[in-house]
């Protein structure tokens, strides 16, 4: 979704702002803009489309400004065009905004009635106008920001620059904001994502909701001050060193971040297992023993929801904990039956997904304990939950989630083993090691998967099927394919086919059939049903089954031995690579698929 980068300091702000925004491109956007101070005036350059369009505008004049704010916009209120792109500005102020102002239309009407003129259809401009209006009466930018912020409803983050000084301001509610400082270079940065600040700001601060940050540069130092909305100094912020590695900012020798991230999986699994079973995570996981909740309400979106569906099987099988796994945007509006001795479990890579956050809030309000399975330490979800289980996937840049899914499922398994008191058994570590080796071998075998992709990529549609634990993998495989290759793909429980979807089968429809040793015969009969209707079958299943080979057009054989609980992850990696190669053949923008955003901070 939208990205923010602000800079004040001694160098030309254009370079760190554009570099920061380019790092945030992975989040998805449809226009980009920058506000600079040129000749003492606030000048805005903004352009619909990719960041390169803005780079083109900048190249015409090569402006220099020691303060600036930049933004990549993912449209919510108002069409994708130059006027609606951020920053929004006037003589006195310029603002960039992430989130939604829920009462914008009411406020806009009131302001228009007072004679204020708007240049865009965005909700964001309402904040600019409020700020400008209040600055006239309050006589101070800080006071005006506080008043404007108190007037708006909804979750938002703003960075503000002003004509009067080279200071930068930020404020936010339930939306990400990070302030960075480089004391040696006398520089201050504000951003929606610490990733934008890697290599620029060694020290970062996360202000809490309704805290105003102000960055100031003097002849001798850079400083960031924090204020409450009543303008008293605030201590409601958390400081830390920026822990993201600079390596995360590059693709290395891979053509895409998605491919790099698929290949990272074997090492990440082993790292997580070593941390949880033999390292510092031990106390967290071992501490679960004997503390099973009566019920887990698992909520998440998209790929994270699929991970939840896999995790449910662990909790029910090994811990006999009852679970409901639900899409967050449904759960939050359903008035679910929640009891105090139950636990809300929220799965999220970003920790900023609006619907998932709303579910956490709902469970918290009803008195449930809340746990997260999350990648981003310090994210809103991480901060709001009572307990966090970090998946340790590192930065995930590809919009299509791959390594986060794997680490989420693995984290759920480790939790389940923790509850069962089996974490330290040799089998758990050993199985993850076997999994890691098998996944590494699949990654090495990309040529085989590429050859299959070549046979399939022009087909009309894809039906992914699986039974039991492979059903969520069928859903995940279909999601990955549709989101990056833009082809129609559906995931079904294999036994459901004959209840409707089988009508779709013809010789242009591909059935990607997932089979494990469990329920093999049942799943095989489902494949036969498809074959009888001339469907094209690509099966992924256990090796050495001649019947499967006979009925399928293509088979990718896997060794399921030694993987009684985690084979789903192995099967899913084959699907990740298949989607990747189909998308590559179709020539789509794999790391930044159309219409998608990496972290969905609006509902
Ligand atoms: C699909 C994908 C999305 C996310 C979903 C939740 O590849 O990435 O479906 O899984 O938007 O995002 P997080 O995990 O950040 O809450």
């Amino acid at each position: 979704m939208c990205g923010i980068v602000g800079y004040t300091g001694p160098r030309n702000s254009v370079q760190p702002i554009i570099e920061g925004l380019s790092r945030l491109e992975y989040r998805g956007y449809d226009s980009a803009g920058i506000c600079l101070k040129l000749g003492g005036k606030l000048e805005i350059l903004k352009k619909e489309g990719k960041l390169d369009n803005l780079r083109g505008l900048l190249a015409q004049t090569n402006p220099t400004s020691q303060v600036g704010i930049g933004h990549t916009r993912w449209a919510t209120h108002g069409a994708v065009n130059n006027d609606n792109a951020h920053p929004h500005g006037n003589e006195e102020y310029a603002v960039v905004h992430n989130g939604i102002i829920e009462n914008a239309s009411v406020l806009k009407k009131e302001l228009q009635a007072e004679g204020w003129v708007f240049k865009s259809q965005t909700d964001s401009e309402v904040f600019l106008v409020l700020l400008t209006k209040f600055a006239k009466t309050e006589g101070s930018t800080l006071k005006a920001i506080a008043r404007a912020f108190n007037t708006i409803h909804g979750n938002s983050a703003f960075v503000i620059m002003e004509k009067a000084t080279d200071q930068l301001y930020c404020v936010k509610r339930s939306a990400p904001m990070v302030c960075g400082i480089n004391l040696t270079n006398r520089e201050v940065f504000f951003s929606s994502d610490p990733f934008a600040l890697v290599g620029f700001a060694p020290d970062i601060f996360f202000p809490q909701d309704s805290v105003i940050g102000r960055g100031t540069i003097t002849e001798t130092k850079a400083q960031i001050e924090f204020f409450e909305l009543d303008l008293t100094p605030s201590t409601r912020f958390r400081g830390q060193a920026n822990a993201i590695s600079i390596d995360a900012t590059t693709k290395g020798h891979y053509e895409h971040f998605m491919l790099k991230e698929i290949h990272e999986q074997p090492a990440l699994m082993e790292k997580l297992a070593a941390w949880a079973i033999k390292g510092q995570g031990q106390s967290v996981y071992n501490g679960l023993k004997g503390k099973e909740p009566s019920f887990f309400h698992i909520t998440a979106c998209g790929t994270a929801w699929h991970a939840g569906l896999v995790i449910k099987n662990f909790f029910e099988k090994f811990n006999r904990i009852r679970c409901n796994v639900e899409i967050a945007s449904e759960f939050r509006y359903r008035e679910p039956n929640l009891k105090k001795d139950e636990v809300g479990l929220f799965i999220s890579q970003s920790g900023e997904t609006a619907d998932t956050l709303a579910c956490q809030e709902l469970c918290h309000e009803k008195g449930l304990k809340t746990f997260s399975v999350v990648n981003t330490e310090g994210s809103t979800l991480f901060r709001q939950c009572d307990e966090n289980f970090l998946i340790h996937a590192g930065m995930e840049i590809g919009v299509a989630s791959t390594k986060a899914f794997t680490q989420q499922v693995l984290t759920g398994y480790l939790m389940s083993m923790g509850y069962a008191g089996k974490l330290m058994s040799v089998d758990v570590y050993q199985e993850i090691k076997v999994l890691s080796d098998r996944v590494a071998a699949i990654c090495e075998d990309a040529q085989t998967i590429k050859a299959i992709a070549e046979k399939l990529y022009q087909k009309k549609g894809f039906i992914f099927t699986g039974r039991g634990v492979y059903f969520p993998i069928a859903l995940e495989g279909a999601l990955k394919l549709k989101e990056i290759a833009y082809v129609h793909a559906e995931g079904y429980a294999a036994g459901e086919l004959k209840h409707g979807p089988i009508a779709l089968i013809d010789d242009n429809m591909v059935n990607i059939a997932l089979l494990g040793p469990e329920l093999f015969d049942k799943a095989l009969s489902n494949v036969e049903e498809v074959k009888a209707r001339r469907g094209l079958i690509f099966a992924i299943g256990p090796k050495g089954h001649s019947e499967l080979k006979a009925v399928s057009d293509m088979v990718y054989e896997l060794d399921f031995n030694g993987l009684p609980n985690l084979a789903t992850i192995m099967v899913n990696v084959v699907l990740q690579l298949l989607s990747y190669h189909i998308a590559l053949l179709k020539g789509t923008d794999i790391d930044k698929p159309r219409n998608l955003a990496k972290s969905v901070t609006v509902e």
Side-chain angles (χ1 to χ4, degrees):
M1 303 231 109
C2 309
I4 291 176
V5 184
Y7 172 90
T8 181
R11 72 167 123 166
N12 185 4
S13 61
V14 174
Q15 190 269 333
I17 290 173
I18 296 297
E19 167 67 26
L21 291 181
S22 76
R23 299 215 196 129
L24 302 189
E25 279 189 289
Y26 79 100
R27 298 176 72 99
Y29 69 105
D30 36 48
S31 60
I34 192 166
C35 179
L36 303 169
K37 199 184 272 184
L38 302 173
K41 288 189 187 157
L42 300 178
E43 297 282 350
I44 292 173
L45 297 163
K46 50 189 186 177
K47 197 81 184 143
E48 182 183 332
K50 294 286 174 194
L51 198 53
D52 270 345
N53 298 350
L54 177 63
R55 285 195 183 97
L57 269 186
L58 287 162
Q60 289 170 18
T61 54
N62 284 321
T64 302
S65 166
Q66 292 178 330
V67 57
I69 54 177
H71 191 264
T72 44
R73 170 178 189 246
W74 192 84
T76 53
H77 283 57
V80 177
N81 60 35
N82 293 344
D83 287 341
N84 291 337
H86 296 216
H88 296 282
N90 54 31
E91 277 271 296
E92 305 302 326
Y93 292 104
V95 301
V96 285
H97 170 219
N98 287 1
I100 291 181
I101 300 175
E102 284 170 0
N103 53 344
S105 59
V106 178
L107 292 170
K108 188 167 175 175
K109 277 194 198 117
E110 287 169 13
L111 291 162
Q112 280 170 326
E114 291 169 20
W116 294 91
V117 177
F118 287 77
K119 298 182 223 161
S120 75
Q121 288 103 46
T122 63
D123 53 341
S124 315
E125 199 183 357
V126 170
F127 185 80
L128 170 76
V129 173
L130 284 172
L131 167 65
T132 314
K133 171 183 157 175
F134 292 138
K136 286 187 194 305
T137 50
E138 300 290 343
S140 125
T141 298
L142 268 181
K143 281 188 193 163
I145 291 173
R147 252 190 98 179
F149 191 70
N150 270 330
T151 310
I152 58 163
H153 301 160
N155 300 337
S156 286
F158 298 93
V159 172
I160 301 133
M161 66 185 278
E162 59 184 353
K163 183 180 151 198
T165 73
D166 282 357
Q167 289 172 314
L168 281 186
Y169 303 85
C170 68
V171 66
K172 64 116 195 171
R173 184 185 302 122
S174 290
M177 176 58 60
V178 56
C179 308
I181 193 158
N182 187 323
L183 291 169
T184 318
N185 295 352
R186 273 193 306 121
E187 297 175 309
V188 169
F189 303 81
F190 289 167
S191 180
S192 49
D193 188 333
F195 185 47
L197 308 188
V198 176
F200 291 124
D203 298 307
I204 54 177
F205 302 89
F206 293 94
Q208 289 183 23
D209 282 355
S210 305
V211 171
I212 303 177
R214 179 170 72 183
T216 310
I217 307 299
T218 68
E219 288 297 309
T220 52
K221 63 173 189 190
Q223 67 171 8
I224 304 174
E225 299 155 284
F226 294 100
F227 304 93
E228 295 295 332
L229 291 179
D230 63 6
L231 305 193
T232 54
S234 175
T235 52
R236 290 191 304 120
F237 61 88
R238 192 168 52 84
Q240 66 183 62
N242 196 345
I244 302 171
S245 145
I246 195 86
D247 289 350
T249 62
T250 67
K251 290 187 277 222
H253 62 278
Y254 294 99
E255 200 176 336
H256 294 96
F257 278 108
M258 182 181 175
L259 192 60
K260 178 185 174 206
E261 288 159 5
I262 291 172
H263 280 254
E264 281 171 11
Q265 293 176 110
L268 287 171
M269 292 174 207
E270 289 199 34
K271 207 171 135 198
L272 177 60
W275 177 80
I277 300 173
K278 302 182 173 174
Q280 286 180 346
Q282 234 187 63
S283 55
V284 180
Y285 287 94
N286 276 328
L288 294 174
K289 191 168 177 241
K291 294 196 190 136
E292 293 89 339
S294 61
F295 199 105
F296 264 126
H297 295 273
I298 303 181
T299 53
C301 303
T303 289
W305 173 61
H306 298 152
L309 293 170
V310 181
I311 291 171
K312 170 191 163 98
N313 288 292
F314 298 137
F315 288 147
E316 293 199 340
K317 181 172 171 186
F318 297 115
N319 315 107
R320 310 309 299 165
I321 304 173
R322 289 179 307 121
C323 292
N324 179 43
V325 188
E326 199 159 340
I327 293 170
S329 55
E330 292 297 316
F331 181 85
R332 65 181 290 193
Y333 292 116
R334 197 173 55 78
E335 296 186 24
N337 190 353
L338 303 171
K339 301 203 177 69
K340 286 207 166 88
D341 62 338
E342 299 170 342
V343 170
L345 176 66
F346 311 94
I347 307 175
S348 176
Q349 188 285 126
S350 61
E352 301 295 350
T353 301
D355 284 316
T356 309
L357 291 176
C359 294
Q360 187 279 333
E361 212 174 301
L362 178 68
C363 287
H364 176 73
E365 271 168 24
K366 299 280 178 193
L368 278 75
K369 267 199 156 172
T370 59
F371 292 1
S372 81
V373 168
V374 69
N375 194 28
T376 313
E377 192 171 1
S379 60
T380 309
L381 187 66
F382 179 92
R383 294 196 309 273
Q384 311 286 14
C385 282
D386 299 308
E387 281 181 46
N388 296 294
F389 296 85
L390 283 166
I391 66 169
H392 293 285
M395 279 291 296
E396 191 178 63
I397 309 280
V399 165
S401 189
T402 53
K403 60 178 180 171
F405 174 85
T406 294
Q407 298 293 97
Q408 285 161 352
V409 171
L410 215 50
T411 302
Y413 181 60
L414 290 166
M415 287 175 75
S416 172
M417 292 299 105
Y419 281 119
K422 290 190 184 154
L423 192 73
M424 310 308 284
S425 86
V426 188
D427 295 354
V428 175
Y429 190 79
Q430 186 53 27
E431 182 169 4
I432 297 172
K433 181 78 187 80
V434 169
L435 176 69
S436 160
D437 291 346
R438 300 262 163 87
V439 168
I442 293 168
C443 290
E444 288 304 306
D445 192 30
Q447 287 312 317
T448 311
I449 297 170
K450 195 173 160 198
I452 293 168
E454 275 163 6
K455 291 189 184 143
L456 297 181
Y457 81 102
Q458 284 169 322
K459 296 292 170 191
K460 177 182 71 178
F462 296 78
I463 293 190
F464 290 68
T465 51
R467 276 181 175 264
V469 288
Y470 301 102
F471 169 42
I473 304 302
L475 293 175
E476 172 58 10
L479 175 65
K480 214 81 327 172
L481 186 61
K482 74 182 109 180
E483 71 180 320
I484 63 168
Y486 315 153
V487 290
H488 191 219
E490 298 287 346
Y492 279 103
E496 269 292 293
L497 271 195
K498 52 179 145 335
H499 297 284
I502 204 160
L504 291 169
I505 303 291
D506 62 18
D507 55 7
N508 214 2
M509 181 65 85
V510 182
N511 174 209
I512 302 194
L514 314 179
L515 301 92
E518 319 88 338
L519 300 171
F520 180 82
D521 292 340
K522 305 264 176 222
L524 185 66
S525 13
N526 298 131
V527 176
E528 272 159 0
E529 287 158 11
V530 174
K531 195 68 217 164
R533 279 135 193 112
R534 295 183 298 116
L536 189 77
I537 291 157
F538 169 40
I540 303 173
K543 62 179 176 191
H545 281 276
S546 52
E547 342 61 302
L548 184 59
K549 279 190 180 159
V551 75
S552 309
D553 297 279
M554 286 157 267
V555 183
Y556 194 87
E557 291 190 310
L558 289 167
D559 182 359
F560 285 71
N561 287 322
L563 292 176
N565 306 312
L566 297 173
T568 47
I569 293 178
M570 169 177 77
V571 172
N572 189 51
V573 173
V574 179
L575 298 182
Q576 291 172 350
L577 283 164
L578 181 71
S579 295
Y580 174 81
H581 284 291
I582 291 181
L584 200 61
L585 289 160
K586 287 191 160 273
T588 60
D589 191 352
I590 292 182
D591 281 335
K592 287 169 259 154
R594 68 185 182 199
N595 306 336
L596 292 178
K598 181 67 183 162
S599 110
V600 184
T601 51
V602 293
E603 67 168 296

